[in-house]
Amino acid sequence: MAGTSNPDVTPGGVPAILFDASAIADAVARLAAAIARDLAGEPVTLIGVLKGALFLTADIARALPAKTDVRIDFVTVSSYGNAAFSSGEVRLLKDTTESVEGKNVVIVEDIVDNGLTLAYLQGLLGARRPATLRSCVLLDKPYRRLTPVAVDYTGLTAPDAFIVGYGLDYQEKYRHLPYLARLEDRVSAG
Ligand code: PRP
């Protein structure tokens, strides 16, 4: 996942909590309420960006009103691989399974760091003539942008730390943590 500095991984312990499950749930509820308000009863296609947004996409979908026509799709992109720093090249590894033409699309991203991934996806999906195209992001590092990118829904502003958990990884580890944590800070395993 997106990193800002070389993570100083010390042996033992687990990454320390930055935003706990309750803070994540509050942010998800706010995001879903804002999306539902703007949809005004219209159908929506959520496009989760794997792998990082797998839990967020599931939680946003379940927080939308039951009466909403919600479709869920995924893309897989990679710009970091197993590196702490972006290669600057975004690769589409898996496309959507359904057409987005004429749909109300919301891109669901776990984090926006330098902005290259979201900008790439907005360009890719925007060219396919969706009715509307919005972007929903749980964590934003607005001070890290290399390219300007519009974010319609932002959950939390992230500090300049390497963040793992709730879908975010370091070398594919830690995605399973039910909270967001700072990789650099370690606490005794519970
Ligand atoms: C991460 C994250 C975003 C992207 C954001 O994906 O999930 O998609 O980086 O970074 P950017 O704004 O600097 O482009 P990553 O490439 O690490 O893949 P992953 O989601 O599978 O962990």
Side-chain angles (χ1 to χ4, degrees):
M1 194 339 284
T4 58
S5 58
N6 259 330
D8 178 22
V9 182
T10 52
V14 294
I17 294 176
L18 177 62
F19 295 109
D20 65 15
S22 168
I24 296 171
D26 287 349
V28 167
R30 288 195 304 273
L31 290 169
I35 292 169
R37 183 192 62 223
D38 290 349
L39 285 172
E42 290 295 305
V44 65
T45 297
L46 302 177
I47 299 185
V49 185
L50 296 174
K51 302 177 187 168
L54 83 163
F55 299 125
L56 178 64
T57 306
D59 287 346
I60 291 282
R62 290 178 293 176
L64 289 170
K67 65 185 178 195
T68 310
D69 179 348
V70 180
R71 314 292 170 99
I72 301 173
D73 211 330
F74 292 98
V75 292
T76 303
V77 294
S78 184
S79 60
Y80 288 85
N82 279 335
F85 295 91
S86 171
S87 65
E89 178 195 356
V90 182
R91 290 187 302 141
L92 183 67
L93 304 180
K94 179 209 158 314
D95 208 337
T96 60
T97 57
E98 302 299 317
S99 168
V100 300
E101 186 171 350
K103 308 270 181 63
N104 296 306
V105 172
V106 177
I107 300 170
V108 180
E109 258 287 31
D110 50 314
I111 189 166
V112 177
D113 188 292
N114 64 39
L116 293 174
T117 305
L118 186 57
Y120 168 82
L121 287 171
Q122 288 177 344
L124 181 83
L125 298 172
R128 297 175 179 178
R129 293 179 293 176
T132 60
L133 179 61
R134 298 189 176 97
S135 298
C136 168
V137 169
L138 180 60
L139 290 168
D140 194 5
K141 290 182 174 178
Y143 48 85
R144 292 267 307 164
R145 292 291 192 279
L146 292 180
T147 187
V149 66
V151 179
D152 300 284
Y153 311 104
T154 303
L156 301 160
T157 299
D160 194 11
F162 198 106
I163 301 172
V164 296
Y166 194 67
L168 284 76
D169 75 307
Y170 173 64
Q171 296 186 342
E172 294 300 326
K173 295 191 296 183
Y174 305 117
R175 293 193 198 273
H176 70 295
L177 298 177
Y179 47 83
L180 290 157
R182 277 180 200 266
L183 183 64
E184 296 94 333
D185 302 337
R186 316 291 288 192
V187 294
S188 298

